[in-house]
Amino acid sequence: MMKKTIKKTIPFILCGTMAMAGCSGPSGTGSQGGGGGEPDPDKTYDISYTGQWCYSDYEDGSFAEKMIEDALNINITVEKAETSDTIDLLLASGEMPDCMWTESKTPNWMQEQELIRTIPRDMVEKYCPQLIQYYEENPLIYKMVLNPENEDEFIYLAGLTFQFVDYYLPGDCYRYDWIENLGLDLGVGVEQVSDRIYVADNGIELSKFVEIMDAFVNRDPDGNGKNDTLGAAAPDWGIGQIGQFYSAYGFARETNDVNGRAEQSYATEEYKEFLKGFHELYEKNLLDPEIISSDRTLAWDKVNTGAVGYWLTSTNTLNSWAVDRPPLTLLDRDPDARILVTPGLRPDGGEVMATVNPTPAYGRFFINANVDDEKLAKILEFFNYSIFGNGDRDIMASLFYGEKDADWKWDEAGEKPVKINKLNSGDKGTWSFSQFGQTEEVTSWIGEEELFMTGSRYWAAGDDGIWLKWQHRPYKVDLANETEYEQIFQEIKGDLDAYVSNYRTQAILGQVDVDATWSDYQAELDRLGYNRMMDELEKIPSIEEMIQEYNK
């Protein structure tokens, strides 16, 4: 059912010449002796590793860990890394594991620190042939992973997920029982898709959204006779949920095309209007007073306790992997709650603007510079087992859901795992090794559970989802690191992020006059290096132009 973004296979030499810039570090040849790329079948290999869900509460010797160890004759040591800051400390201490998944570290940075080695293409073809197949079907990934100085090796391996390309994920939720109690006109069509889930056929217009929030705050929507309800909960600023508010002002959270030049969202004139509009909502008490908080659990608690009537989320939180957060927690705690899901906000008379990834690439798998070819071969076996289950669906399902017949079983058709014991992500080592290996089939297991699929005609590509027309790829992304964009970004990131965040907070809270200070804000962005950074993106074509070139 899945639809690939790009189906044409590009000659490998072309991909290589367009791939990521940078040297291969101390292991530039990708060959460091050892066993010549062949693991010893009689040897037990020790492999240190960190990845998603390898947090402080990770259970050493977990079910998933033991299953992998027994299958491959290896001993796994899981390095526990809670956050990107923990990973920074791990790497700074010289304790990088033999292999690791991360999204927080760029290939250039890892190379500059001489932390990683390159990976010969012939070894990946031998030990991970299915991965190569996916890269061939989605050749933009080659721009991300190949070594431009040697077309026969990779800088790192990218994982996969089709959640971010084959589904419309940005979504927001309203308490629909509150809307019905108040008799509010939403200005959109609404369909009931399950007992307690309703779906809108379009985004809510900004002016209508303001009316709804005002009613949620001032008209006793839960009918308890008290003035104790809030409008919108705080977004999760860290993962970019605020982009769903940006849509109301006609721009996207990724790079935008501004008169043919790539601009980040926070530098556009539309962003200026967003800041002013958000301040007005805050002044009217239509936003959670903790709107600036970066702790998303504060918002979740307010949703779960019935304190707020609107929150930003994603449509795939209707699947059981999100059992620890709303809307599932709210539905579980309040049997009277009903939820309306919409594709987002839109300007009055305008359209929703949502962002979609340019490729199914997901995460970065790096190999420690000190790993020789013999051990690399074993690590690639470990990679292939964790991502593709060596072609065994039972293995793949177990790495996500736990022990077969204890935690899950196949449905009657033998097509999808059915949970018997609903584990949280990370329990028994689930997801800890397989997070970044979501093939089309696995994506359907994780992302197409019954409640989610009740609205599939709105948000799933396999059912020609009617919301998908509002998805846009970022205007420009330096996938291959062909310019100095990433280098400059890393140089200025700390100061730039702090300044943008601080100005945003001051603007929303009314501590600065946006109209009066906007030119100063832009000047400070320039002083920090913003324009120098964005000038680099002018050197490369847009994502759409890249795709058109590949499709010739």
Side-chain angles (χ1 to χ4, degrees), residues 314-334:
S314 58
T315 58
N316 65 344
T317 56
L318 291 170
N319 292 298
S320 62
W321 68 265
V323 70
D324 63 338
R325 66 197 69 183
L328 297 184
T329 46
L330 173 63
L331 294 173
D332 181 61
R333 296 183 186 190
D334 185 349

Side-chain angles (χ1 to χ4, degrees), residues 240-315:
Q241 280 185 342
I242 195 62
Q244 291 155 238
F245 275 118
Y246 292 171
S247 175
Y249 295 86
F251 68 110
R253 67 178 175 88
E254 304 289 355
T255 53
N256 291 257
D257 179 358
V258 180
N259 299 320
R261 178 180 170 85
E263 298 286 2
Q264 299 293 346
S265 57
Y266 54 79
T268 64
E269 289 295 315
E270 289 82 1
Y271 181 76
K272 174 184 175 182
E273 297 307 310
F274 154 75
L275 292 176
K276 292 160 60 178
F278 227 46
H279 168 62
E280 291 179 8
L281 293 173
Y282 183 81
E283 283 287 283
K284 295 176 181 178
N285 296 318
L286 304 186
L287 303 177
D288 180 355
E290 295 180 297
I291 196 71
I292 302 302
S293 172
S294 59
D295 183 356
R296 62 183 179 177
T297 63
L298 295 177
W300 292 353
D301 287 344
K302 291 174 182 178
V303 174
N304 292 335
T305 58
V308 299
Y310 171 88
W311 67 98
L312 298 176
T313 184
S314 58
T315 58

Side-chain angles (χ1 to χ4, degrees), residues 163-471:
Q163 285 196 57
F164 303 143
V165 295
D166 278 342
Y167 304 95
Y168 186 103
L169 292 188
D172 44 12
C173 288
Y174 298 75
R175 286 291 299 265
Y176 194 62
D177 50 322
W178 290 12
I179 289 170
E180 290 192 313
N181 289 345
L182 297 170
L184 299 177
D185 173 21
L186 304 180
V188 296
V190 174
E191 178 186 4
Q192 183 175 3
V193 297
S194 74
D195 287 346
R196 302 168 67 191
I197 302 295
Y198 298 73
V199 180
D201 63 4
N202 204 340
I204 305 294
E205 289 189 333
L206 179 57
S207 60
K208 185 67 67 174
F209 172 77
V210 175
E211 293 177 11
I212 297 168
M213 294 304 101
D214 183 81
F216 281 179
V217 171
N218 298 309
R219 291 178 52 192
D220 189 21
D222 57 2
N224 68 355
K226 300 178 182 179
N227 185 21
D228 60 355
T229 50
L230 301 168
D236 187 336
W237 299 92
I239 65 170
Q241 280 185 342
I242 195 62
Q244 291 155 238
F245 275 118
Y246 292 171
S247 175
Y249 295 86
F251 68 110
R253 67 178 175 88
E254 304 289 355
T255 53
N256 291 257
D257 179 358
V258 180
N259 299 320
R261 178 180 170 85
E263 298 286 2
Q264 299 293 346
S265 57
Y266 54 79
T268 64
E269 289 295 315
E270 289 82 1
Y271 181 76
K272 174 184 175 182
E273 297 307 310
F274 154 75
L275 292 176
K276 292 160 60 178
F278 227 46
H279 168 62
E280 291 179 8
L281 293 173
Y282 183 81
E283 283 287 283
K284 295 176 181 178
N285 296 318
L286 304 186
L287 303 177
D288 180 355
E290 295 180 297
I291 196 71
I292 302 302
S293 172
S294 59
D295 183 356
R296 62 183 179 177
T297 63
L298 295 177
W300 292 353
D301 287 344
K302 291 174 182 178
V303 174
N304 292 335
T305 58
V308 299
Y310 171 88
W311 67 98
L312 298 176
T313 184
S314 58
T315 58
N316 65 344
T317 56
L318 291 170
N319 292 298
S320 62
W321 68 265
V323 70
D324 63 338
R325 66 197 69 183
L328 297 184
T329 46
L330 173 63
L331 294 173
D332 181 61
R333 296 183 186 190
D334 185 349
D336 297 321
R338 297 189 301 282
I339 307 300
L340 172 68
V341 186
T342 89
L345 301 173
R346 59 188 174 108
D348 290 2
E351 290 191 347
V352 174
M353 183 174 287
T355 302
V356 66
N357 283 13
T359 79
Y362 184 37
R364 302 182 181 110
F365 189 76
F366 292 113
I367 308 293
N368 189 301
N370 296 319
V371 169
D372 63 25
D373 279 5
E374 179 185 346
K375 189 168 188 177
L376 172 62
K378 201 66 182 179
I379 289 173
L380 291 177
E381 287 185 357
F382 165 58
F383 177 97
N384 192 65
Y385 188 93
S386 301
I387 300 304
F388 299 111
N390 285 352
D392 187 327
R393 298 168 77 242
D394 280 7
I395 295 172
M396 294 168 67
S398 295
L399 288 172
F400 281 99
Y401 299 115
E403 189 174 357
K404 185 180 180 183
D405 297 326
D407 300 311
W408 69 275
K409 63 181 180 180
W410 292 111
D411 63 15
E412 291 184 1
E415 294 178 352
K416 289 188 176 184
V418 176
K419 294 183 179 182
I420 300 171
N421 177 29
K422 293 187 177 181
L423 302 176
N424 291 319
S425 300
D427 289 352
K428 292 190 175 182
T430 55
W431 296 73
S432 302
F433 304 94
S434 54
Q435 166 88 23
F436 296 102
Q438 300 177 24
T439 63
E440 298 104 315
E441 183 176 33
V442 172
T443 298
S444 73
W445 297 348
I446 295 167
E448 295 185 358
E449 294 181 1
E450 182 178 358
L451 189 59
F452 176 85
M453 291 305 289
T454 60
S456 63
R457 78 180 193 91
Y458 291 93
W459 49 63
D463 287 336
D464 298 319
I466 61 177
W467 289 1
L468 299 179
K469 62 188 175 185
W470 295 311
Q471 291 191 136

